[in-house]
Amino acid sequence: MKNPFDKILNWYFTKNSLPYWSILLIDCAIIVCSGMLTYWIFNSAVLLFEHTLKVLNTLVCFLVLSVPGFRLFHTYSGFMRYASFVDLMRVAYGNCVSLVLVLLAQYGMDLLPGHLFAHFNTTSIFLIYIIATLFMWGLRIFVKTLYDVAFSNSRAVRVLIYGAMSGGVGLAKNIQSQRPRRYVVKGFITHHKNTKHQMIMGERVYSVSDDLADIIKSNDIEGVLVSPYRTQEFRHNQELQDIILGAGAKIYMAQNAKEMDDEELNGTTTNPVQLQEVSVEDLLPRDEIRVDLKSVEELLSGQRVLITGSAGSIGSEMVRQVAQFKPAAMMLIDQAETPEHDIRLMMEKQFPGIPAETVVTSICNEEHMEHIFKRFQPDYVFHAAAYKHVPMMEDNPSEAVLNNIFGTKVIADLSVKYGVKKFVMVSTDKAVNPTNVMGCSKRICEIYVQSLDQAIKEKKISSFLSSLTNKMSFITPGMMGGPSARTQFVTTRFGNVLGSNGSVIPLFREQIKAGGPVTVTDEHIVRFFMLIPEACKLVLEAGTKGNGGEIFVFDMGQPVKIADLANRMIKLSGAKNVEVKFTGLRPGEKLYEEVLNELEGTKPTFHEKIRIAEVREYDYQRVCKDIDELIAISKRFDDMATVKKMKEIVPEYVSNNSVYEQLDK
């Protein structure tokens, strides 16, 4: 059973704080006690006993004159358990103001009746406020120390902080104020070389050039906390990451570091910084991407938005981001029932005020798509639906053609027919110099929407449609050339996104959890990576700001070697004896991805991370004829004939590690 003292401690330290008036009363009591002590020092205990009432009357006057100083510097508004040097200086400044006021008033007080008030000379008044200041300091230090001892956590993690400037120091102050204490700071890491005798907050400062691995091991360091101001720098320093991980320490980063305010970073708030052990995604060398979301909001707010592939990795994030801009209504289409149901529940929970319809169907269902467009009348279409797994499409080329190409054609044609303002298609870097069926199918999609946009611009499409005998298009001749604004077609092209369905990262996690091996196709294979939210933001900005006909290429940063990624994930997991096994390239897979082919250049845009690919133009009439033939062939499920026609449409398509290599001879 707890004793009364422990109960009092627990009651106080589990409250947010004492009321400010309580602290003010305590400080006032300290001044009174300091005055009594000073009178006793300068006179005697006997005189103090005889003149107690007069001394108290005088000290009450001192208190009245002290309140302005307390008020001016807010000496009572802080948390004593979190007292810092700043709080102690506030007390000192407040008492200095009080002292000056009392000294100015003492001459007038001497004129008051002697039987009511005691006399304090100048020296004794100085001593009163010196003693009071020392006692106020002592009280705050005592409470803070008691709090630290009472709520110390023996299981706290011993850590170093990467960053020895304001961000690192602020982080250290913040975590020291957290209770129960999760981390104990044992030093700081900096890139400055001459740190031999440097100390911060009583702890050593170590240089990156020092033998950090030995320092971590000899000091039993369990983790390294990354300063919010050094996050980007740390991501690009893989050598330092390897040293830390190799020494057996974990790495922690502040969550939502870019949203932290100055108070949090300077340790002047009681809000704890949320630290989390990093995942491999946090350590990939990538720069923060900023997007002009205000302009996106101005375009999408109050509009009717249709999103295909709404249950996929990209599509679902597009749904979440578009919903934030308060569209008038949303039509969400996907053929995967369970994930689409999850999207439905998400919209109901997070965006109940936005009318959103979730439809389970295939984009290849012409009649159903026609019905949806006619009824919904979308203003913007974001087309993210596609089969994307390379090995699966290598085995099923007909399905790649029917879903990716024909499905895109259906949605694009309906967008024109029903007056969609803008059609935005999500493509892939695998469409560049494709080596597989999936990549080639996406390149043909790019060609179709680009040629359609150009034909609309040049008003060549009406005469062509009039001559068609086999119309595999929903566009009617009478629709073009009218006064209404035309549909603009925009393509966005980027590489792999972190955390997508089928990504190597979730696969590696499962393999590590199972004890290995972690399977990598080739030791030299590299890939670009981007966060899904970042990719979707760029899609929204490019899509809404594009003028039609562009293929926007995203700057993916530096490519990542997959073997290094696997080894890094093993180190981060702390797993032992997990090996990396190389299984050989899969059909259609190549060692590296490209965002441009050899004949393509780029032009700058409104965003430094977005460029426009300068690609060759295709004749819409010829493209339609080729695609119609391709679709007809694919419906016979003749894989060789289907792929052969795809290679005719996209001459740069050269198969790699595939049965279709024979078609390239």
Side-chain angles (χ1 to χ4, degrees):
M1 186 174 178
K2 292 184 176 179
N3 59 49
F5 182 71
D6 289 336
K7 289 183 179 179
I8 294 172
L9 281 180
N10 187 67
W11 169 80
Y12 171 60
F13 289 133
T14 53
K15 290 172 63 71
N16 290 329
S17 68
L18 283 176
Y20 72 89
W21 55 265
S22 300
I23 299 175
L24 180 61
L25 287 178
I26 293 172
D27 288 344
C28 290
I30 288 175
I31 290 180
V32 171
C33 293
S34 300
M36 302 284 281
L37 177 62
T38 301
Y39 192 88
W40 174 74
I41 293 172
F42 279 87
N43 296 277
S44 66
V46 175
L47 287 176
L48 175 63
F49 182 77
E50 291 179 357
H51 302 133
T52 300
L53 185 60
K54 294 195 295 183
V55 172
L56 288 175
N57 289 339
T58 306
L59 293 175
V60 168
C61 295
F62 287 3
L63 285 179
V64 173
L65 296 171
S66 297
V67 170
F70 295 159
R71 175 65 179 169
L72 182 62
F73 291 97
H74 298 281
T75 61
Y76 50 80
S77 61
F79 297 85
M80 285 200 288
R81 70 188 73 170
Y82 304 127
S84 63
F85 179 76
V86 173
D87 297 298
L88 300 183
M89 292 308 300
R90 286 177 179 172
V91 170
Y93 295 148
N95 282 340
C96 284
V97 171
S98 302
L99 173 63
V100 171
L101 294 176
V102 171
L103 289 174
L104 291 174
Q106 71 169 329
Y107 301 104
M109 294 176 66
D110 289 339
L111 301 177
L112 296 175
H115 67 281
L116 294 178
F117 298 95
H119 175 74
F120 286 86
N121 58 34
T122 302
T123 304
S124 62
I125 293 174
F126 267 99
L127 186 60
I128 288 173
Y129 281 93
I130 291 174
I131 295 173
T133 301
L134 293 175
F135 270 102
M136 291 179 188
W137 284 357
L139 176 64
R140 285 158 172 78
I141 294 172
F142 172 76
V143 172
K144 177 178 173 57
T145 304
L146 186 63
Y147 183 56
D148 289 342
V149 173
F151 284 84
S152 62
N153 189 348
S154 59
R155 295 176 296 179
V157 179
R158 296 168 61 88
V159 298
L160 300 176
I161 292 180
Y162 176 70
M165 302 301 286
S166 58
V169 174
L171 180 60
K173 290 180 178 179
N174 191 289
I175 65 175
Q176 284 185 344
S177 68
Q178 297 178 18
R179 296 296 181 276
R181 184 171 292 181
R182 295 179 57 197
Y183 308 99
V184 177
V185 179
K186 305 306 294 185
F188 296 81
I189 302 173
T190 180
H191 286 278
H192 296 296
K193 294 185 178 181
N194 188 18
T195 61
K196 189 174 182 180
H197 302 292
Q198 290 187 7
M199 304 281 287
I200 296 178
M201 299 176 65
E203 302 295 341
R204 280 283 311 274
V205 179
Y206 302 100
S207 173
V208 172
S209 58
D210 297 336
D211 193 345
L212 279 181
D214 287 344
I215 292 170
I216 291 172
K217 292 177 181 178
S218 62
N219 289 278
D220 297 323
I221 301 300
E222 301 170 81
V224 173
L225 312 184
V226 181
S227 163
Y229 289 156
R230 295 287 181 266
T231 300
Q232 294 298 328
E233 182 182 353
F234 187 80
R235 283 189 178 130
H236 288 83
N237 196 333
Q238 296 194 20
E239 183 180 356
L240 178 59
Q241 296 171 22
D242 290 337
I243 291 173
I244 295 170
L245 294 173
K250 298 182 182 294
I251 300 172
Y252 300 87
M253 286 184 180
Q255 300 302 297
N256 300 320
K258 63 183 178 188
E259 300 175 4
M260 296 174 63
D261 57 31
D262 291 337
E263 286 189 347
E264 289 174 307
L265 291 176
N266 291 322
T268 56
T269 179
T270 58
N271 297 326
V273 175
Q274 299 300 315
L275 294 163
Q276 183 172 308
E277 186 178 348
V278 299
S279 63
V280 69
E281 294 95 328
D282 299 316
L283 297 181
L284 291 177
R286 53 184 176 81
D287 297 320
E288 180 185 342
I289 296 176
R290 299 183 181 273
V291 176
D292 181 14
L293 294 179
K294 184 173 179 59
S295 63
V296 177
E297 181 178 9
E298 291 174 353
L299 289 169
L300 294 182
S301 179
Q303 302 294 306
R304 303 176 70 80
V305 180
L306 184 149
I307 301 175
T308 69
S310 57
S313 304
I314 295 294
S316 59
E317 181 62 24
M318 292 289 296
V319 171
R320 280 185 282 269
Q321 293 194 15
V322 170
Q324 294 175 1
F325 301 127
K326 297 181 173 63
M330 298 179 69
M331 175 65 69
L332 312 176
I333 299 171
D334 204 288
Q335 62 181 340
E337 186 223 8
T338 299
E340 185 74 343
H341 182 255
D342 293 337
I343 293 298
R344 181 182 188 135
L345 296 177
M346 183 274 293
M347 289 297 298
E348 291 175 353
K349 181 179 180 180
Q350 299 183 19
F351 307 99
I354 297 176
E357 186 174 346
T358 49
V359 179
V360 179
T361 188
S362 169
I363 57 174
C364 301
N365 190 330
E366 304 169 61
E367 290 76 16
H368 199 176
M369 290 299 104
E370 171 96 31
H371 175 74
I372 289 173
F373 270 77
K374 185 177 182 179
R375 179 170 58 86
F376 186 67
Q377 297 288 324
D379 298 303
Y380 286 82
V381 171
F382 292 93
H383 179 46
Y387 289 147
K388 65 179 182 179
H389 295 292
V390 170
M392 290 293 292
M393 294 303 97
E394 206 70 7
D395 294 335
N396 301 275
S398 295
E399 292 300 323
V401 170
L402 293 174
N403 186 79
N404 292 4
I405 301 174
F406 180 62
T408 296
K409 190 174 187 296
V410 170
I411 301 299
D413 290 352
L414 286 170
S415 295
V416 177
K417 181 175 181 178
Y418 289 96
V420 170
K421 296 176 183 177
K422 190 160 294 180
F423 174 101
V424 183
M425 186 181 75
V426 176
S427 188
T428 171
D429 56 0
K430 293 177 177 62
V432 182
N433 296 323
T435 60
N436 51 70
V437 170
M438 192 280 286
C440 184
S441 71
K442 294 299 288 184
R443 177 59 188 142
I444 295 173
C445 292
E446 293 181 354
I447 292 171
Y448 180 74
V449 299
Q450 192 182 20
S451 65
L452 175 57
D453 187 271
Q454 188 64 28
I456 295 172
K457 283 180 181 177
E458 298 175 355
K459 299 183 180 181
K460 294 180 178 179
I461 192 172
S462 294
S463 59
F464 167 62
L465 288 173
S466 298
S467 66
L468 279 178
T469 56
N470 179 25
K471 294 182 182 177
M472 298 192 67
S473 175
F474 291 100
I475 306 173
T476 59
M479 293 179 54
M480 309 313 303
S484 61
R486 70 175 185 86
T487 302
Q488 297 176 331
F489 289 86
V490 173
T491 299
T492 58
R493 183 192 288 172
F494 52 94
N496 299 282
V497 289
L498 297 169
S500 66
N501 299 327
S503 168
V504 295
I505 292 178
L507 174 62
F508 287 173
R509 286 200 180 102
E510 290 297 320
Q511 291 176 334
I512 293 171
K513 187 177 180 180
V518 176
T519 56
V520 179
T521 55
D522 191 280
E523 61 180 323
H524 302 296
I525 195 168
V526 296
R527 290 291 184 265
F528 292 102
F529 286 99
M530 179 179 283
L531 290 177
I532 292 176
E534 292 177 343
C536 290
K537 287 177 181 178
L538 291 176
V539 170
L540 289 174
E541 184 168 15
T544 53
K545 290 186 176 180
N547 297 314
E550 306 99 334
I551 296 180
F552 289 106
V553 179
F554 296 171
D555 180 359
M556 302 287 293
Q558 296 298 315
V560 176
K561 195 173 181 180
I562 301 301
D564 292 344
L565 180 68
N567 284 313
R568 191 170 297 265
M569 289 185 67
I570 294 171
K571 289 180 180 178
L572 283 170
S573 71
K576 306 296 183 182
N577 302 319
V578 175
E579 64 172 337
V580 176
K581 183 180 179 181
F582 299 103
T583 58
L585 290 174
R586 298 173 297 176
E589 193 173 35
K590 56 183 177 181
L591 291 176
Y592 57 92
E593 304 290 359
E594 307 152 280
V595 292
L596 297 167
N597 67 36
E598 296 178 353
L599 301 178
E600 292 179 348
T602 63
K603 297 184 293 185
T605 68
F606 41 82
H607 196 290
E608 61 180 0
K609 293 288 184 179
I610 304 175
R611 298 186 70 83
I612 298 175
E614 294 180 314
V615 299
R616 61 172 286 195
E617 294 182 358
Y618 289 81
D619 178 70
Y620 179 71
Q621 180 174 350
R622 178 65 188 177
V623 170
C624 280
K625 184 175 181 298
D626 284 336
I627 289 178
D628 289 350
E629 291 177 4
L630 175 61
I631 293 171
I633 294 170
S634 68
K635 289 182 177 180
R636 300 199 301 265
F637 302 101
D638 186 337
D639 292 348
M640 281 295 174
T642 299
V643 175
K644 183 179 180 181
K645 184 61 182 179
M646 295 177 76
K647 290 178 179 290
E648 291 176 6
I649 300 173
V650 185
E652 63 268 27
Y653 169 25
V654 179
S655 298
N656 185 44
N657 193 37
S658 171
V659 295
Y660 306 118
E661 288 181 283
Q662 58 184 291
L663 298 173
D664 300 319
K665 298 178 181 177

